């Protein structure tokens, strides 16, 4: 089955040009200059289907390298399954997710991984891979890190946050980083000072400060900047490649920038919520409303200037990736466990469907170029996590993961008639957002899964992707 995408502007990380894209089966087989007869004088007649992309962009499918489908958290689980979450992702032009398999305390790494394979197998609308959370660093789990690399799981996530759950002490972090330095895995780090935050939380509760805003006030930027600086130093000691996830504090990115400038293989991602949302505008809404925006790290005060600085760091490549940290919870029977005690609110927002549109708004607003948009959302995440060549690029031989994007379209995000929202949530983290641009058509490995805005994909189409080692090291 051949598909010709005709008349569009192919946008890549390095440039843009009017180019037709020919797909055969699951792969891109040719890029054709408009009017070229090199492959015959009437390609369109030979193709089984022609997609007219005139006036639109053709971009490599989005790679969201940070999602949590069906993740147990605080006695409940994130509300999107692999089925509902990957369908919503497809709707928004994301054709690959990398989700986090979890080794819980006392569990074997291999058993944690097997549980995630079971959750995802046969359920996904788009392709998927895994990182492995090592929640219990010990001799056995360190040994398992070599097996993970062999199975295409070339990144592990460690935490300086959540004591008693995922937390590793500095000695454990160091030992895991030594293994990564040897076997080439990327160490992903949730960098917040968990033990200090726990004290601030207890003190706030004992003063009767129970509202959602106190989630933010008890995780001040210093606790992120301190932990970030600490793990940067440990990366320097061990030589492990380090990728700091969901960076929200400008001071933490400034520390990362300083080490990048010295030539270390250290990287950072941020997420749309840290670019657009804030403690003042969302987290401190009256009553319990702010609970919808409880996530960690927290939405930061706009008065502290984080949001604009993060956009700048995206422009200067001090931050390399925009992922979502998609981890949705409903207000009813999930977030509402924290009424009267903000520490019991499950942490997370739902964004997997909206990332391409939200970051494209940065192009419209003049913050980044359209090429940088593609690089941040697709090309670099693919390179960072060993998928490049197959994913993240439009060239012959690559998987035909393609998005026809209308730069003159419009997307109204939220719940209700004419609004876009397909995640399994009873609210939207982005209700009322009006953004430029629109995902029209999406192909996943040569199969049309979104056709002119309508989902036509199928559960089980998505395949597990074994990943190579990081392709972004300097
Ligand atoms: Zn995290
Ligand atoms: Zn996360």
């Amino acid at each position: 089955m051949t598909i010709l995408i005709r008349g569009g502007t192919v946008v890549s990380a390095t440039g843009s040009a009017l180019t037709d894209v020919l797909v055969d089966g699951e792969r891109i087989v040719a890029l054709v200059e408009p009017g070229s007869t090199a492959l015959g004088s009437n390609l369109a007649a030979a193709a089984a289907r022609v997609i007219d992309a005139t006036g639109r962009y053709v971009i490599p499918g989005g790679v969201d390298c940070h999602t949590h489908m069906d993740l147990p958290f605080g006695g409940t689980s994130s509300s999107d399954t692999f089925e509902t979450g990957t369908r919503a992702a497809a709707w928004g032009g994301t054709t690959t997710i990398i989700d986090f398999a979890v080794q819980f305390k006392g569990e074997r790494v291999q058993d944690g991984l097997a549980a995630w394979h079971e959750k995802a197998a046969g359920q996904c609308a788009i392709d998927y891979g895994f990182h492995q959370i090592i929640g219990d660093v010990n001799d056995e789990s360190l040994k398992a890190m070599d097996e993970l690399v062999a199975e295409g799981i070339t990144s592990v996530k460690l935490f300086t946050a959540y004591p008693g759950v995922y937390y590793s002490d500095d000695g454990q972090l160091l030992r895991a980083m030594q293994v990564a330095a040897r076997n080439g895995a990327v160490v992903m780090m949730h960098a917040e000072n968990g033990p200090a935050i726990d004290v601030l939380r207890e003190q706030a509760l004992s003063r009767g400060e129970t509202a959602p805003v106190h989630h933010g006030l008890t995780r001040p930027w210093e606790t992120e900047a301190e932990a970030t600086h600490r793990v940067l130093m440990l990366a320097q000691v061990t030589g492990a490649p380090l990728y700091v996830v969901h960076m929200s504090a400008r001071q933490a990115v400034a520390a990362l920038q300083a080490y990048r400038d010295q030539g270390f293989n250290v990287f950072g991602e941020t997420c749309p919520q840290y670019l657009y949302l804030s403690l003042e505008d969302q987290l401190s809404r009256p009553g319990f409303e702010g609970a919808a925006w409880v996530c960690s790290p927290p939405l930061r005060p706009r008065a502290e200037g984080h949001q604009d600085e993060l956009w700048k760091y995206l422009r200067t490549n001090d931050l390399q990736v925009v992922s979502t940290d998609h981890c949705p919870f409903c207000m009813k029977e999930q977030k509402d466990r924290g009424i009267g005690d903000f520490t019991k609110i499950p942490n997370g927002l739902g964004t997997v469907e909206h990332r391409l549109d939200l970051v494209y708004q940065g192009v419209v607003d003049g913050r980044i170029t359209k090429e940088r948009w593609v690089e941040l959302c697709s090309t670099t995440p693919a390179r960072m996590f060993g998928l490049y060549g197959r994913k993240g690029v439009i060239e012959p031989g690559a998987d035909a993961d393609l998005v026809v994007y209308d730069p003159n379209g419009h997307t109204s995000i939220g719940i209700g008639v004419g609004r876009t929202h397909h995640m399994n949530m009873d609210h939207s983290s982005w209700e009322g957002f009006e953004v430029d641009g629109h995902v029209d058509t999406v192909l996943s490995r040569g199969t049309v899964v979104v056709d002119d805005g309508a989902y036509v994909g199928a559960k089980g189409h998505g395949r597990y992707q074994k990943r190579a080692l990081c392709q972004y090291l300097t």
Side-chain angles (χ1 to χ4, degrees):
M1 163 99 177
T2 58
I3 298 176
L4 179 67
I5 303 176
R6 189 168 62 173
T9 298
V10 169
V11 181
S12 78
T14 51
S16 304
L18 276 174
T19 309
D20 296 344
V21 181
L22 186 65
V23 172
D24 188 10
E26 299 196 339
R27 302 281 178 87
I28 296 164
V29 290
L31 302 184
V32 186
E33 268 180 65
S36 162
T37 53
L39 295 178
S41 56
N42 199 350
L43 261 187
R49 179 165 177 196
V50 176
I51 295 170
D52 180 14
T54 304
R56 292 178 285 178
Y57 296 148
V58 180
I59 62 171
V63 177
D64 190 343
C65 59
H66 191 152
T67 69
H68 301 283
M69 305 302 174
D70 200 1
L71 172 74
F73 192 108
T76 184
S77 287
S78 59
S79 56
D80 264 320
T81 59
F82 278 87
E83 180 185 358
T84 64
T86 59
R87 193 169 60 207
W91 232 301
T94 285
T95 51
T96 307
I97 61 164
I98 311 178
D99 202 269
F100 289 86
V102 182
Q103 174 215 16
F104 292 102
K105 286 230 180 306
E107 186 183 35
R108 288 174 70 244
V109 170
Q110 292 87 341
D111 294 341
L113 175 59
W116 254 257
H117 271 298
E118 198 161 313
K119 284 173 198 262
Q123 300 297 311
C124 294
I126 54 165
D127 288 346
Y128 63 98
F130 293 125
H131 314 284
Q132 180 72 48
I133 289 174
I134 310 279
D136 196 351
V137 175
N138 55 41
D139 290 340
E140 208 192 331
S141 46
L142 291 173
K143 220 176 283 166
M145 282 174 63
D146 288 336
E147 279 177 51
L148 290 175
V149 169
E151 288 182 36
I153 294 156
T154 53
S155 42
V156 296
K157 187 179 180 194
L158 301 164
F159 291 74
T160 62
Y162 302 125
V165 188
Y166 298 127
Y167 174 80
S168 289
D169 68 28
D170 293 346
Q172 290 174 308
L173 297 179
L174 187 93
R175 292 182 73 200
M177 285 171 136
Q178 286 173 332
V179 174
R182 176 176 54 69
N183 74 12
V186 171
V187 172
M188 307 173 79
M189 194 69 71
H190 179 132
E192 289 184 293
N193 186 323
I197 287 167
D198 273 4
V199 172
L200 295 174
R201 280 152 67 96
E202 278 163 33
Q203 291 172 343
L205 284 179
S206 71
R207 289 191 298 266
E209 297 166 354
T210 62
V213 69
H214 295 287
H215 172 80
L217 297 174
T218 55
R219 310 178 91 90
W221 67 263
E222 290 90 339
T223 58
E224 181 181 339
E226 182 280 327
T228 302
H229 187 257
R230 181 163 26 112
V231 298
L232 285 163
M233 297 303 290
L234 295 177
Q236 186 173 338
V237 168
T238 57
L242 175 69
Y243 177 96
V244 184
V245 296
H246 51 46
M247 299 191 80
S248 67
R250 62 186 171 85
Q251 296 87 349
V253 189
L256 175 71
Q257 177 187 37
Y259 284 90
R260 287 182 55 73
D261 287 350
Q262 292 172 51
F264 292 104
N265 275 311
V266 291
F267 313 100
E269 72 173 15
T270 191
C271 313
Q273 52 270 35
Y274 303 119
L275 296 167
Y276 286 103
L277 309 180
S278 68
L279 182 133
E280 295 95 328
D281 298 336
Q282 278 82 23
L283 196 54
S284 57
R285 288 201 189 172
F288 191 64
E289 266 182 64
W293 293 278
V294 164
C295 57
S296 295
L299 302 183
R300 301 258 171 229
R302 206 172 281 284
E304 291 177 358
H306 302 285
Q307 291 81 0
D308 283 345
E309 278 292 287
L310 293 178
W311 278 112
K312 186 201 78 180
Y313 284 130
L314 288 174
R315 199 157 61 239
T316 56
N317 203 37
D318 292 297
L319 291 169
Q320 292 75 41
V321 169
V322 180
S323 71
T324 59
D325 195 9
H326 178 75
C327 192
F329 294 96
C330 291
M331 289 297 280
K332 240 185 124 194
E333 289 171 12
Q334 295 201 297
K335 293 273 189 183
D336 63 7
R337 290 157 176 254
I339 294 175
D341 180 352
F342 71 89
T343 67
K344 299 211 158 56
I345 301 169
N347 287 201
L349 269 56
T351 309
V352 76
E353 184 175 352
H354 305 311
R355 186 180 59 127
L356 284 189
D357 289 326
L358 289 167
V359 182
Y360 180 70
Q361 188 62 39
V363 178
V364 175
D365 294 344
R367 294 178 182 273
I368 54 171
T369 64
K370 62 185 185 301
E371 291 77 16
R372 184 66 177 155
W373 166 56
V374 167
E375 189 170 30
L376 291 167
C377 292
S378 176
T379 307
T380 301
R383 288 180 65 193
M384 190 70 72
F385 296 109
L387 291 167
Y388 187 75
R390 256 183 296 161
K391 311 294 188 190
V393 64
I394 298 180
E395 66 183 14
D399 285 353
D401 290 3
L402 296 161
V403 176
V404 178
Y405 196 83
D406 183 356
N408 300 309
H410 183 87
T411 304
S412 302
I413 303 178
I415 297 175
V417 177
R419 302 208 150 261
T420 293
H421 174 74
H422 303 93
M423 298 168 285
N424 186 34
M425 299 169 72
D426 61 2
H427 66 289
S428 166
S429 310
W430 300 90
E431 186 69 51
F433 267 69
E434 300 286 338
V435 292
D436 295 293
H438 189 264
V439 173
D440 286 353
T441 297
V442 180
L443 277 71
S444 166
R445 268 185 292 100
T447 298
V448 176
V449 293
V450 174
D451 199 347
D452 205 9
Y455 178 74
V456 294
K459 150 179 166 171
H461 166 79
R463 269 191 219 140
Y464 173 66
Q465 302 289 310
K466 274 194 176 193
R467 295 183 292 111
L469 292 176
C470 178
Q471 297 155 308
Y472 202 78
L473 302 185
T474 52

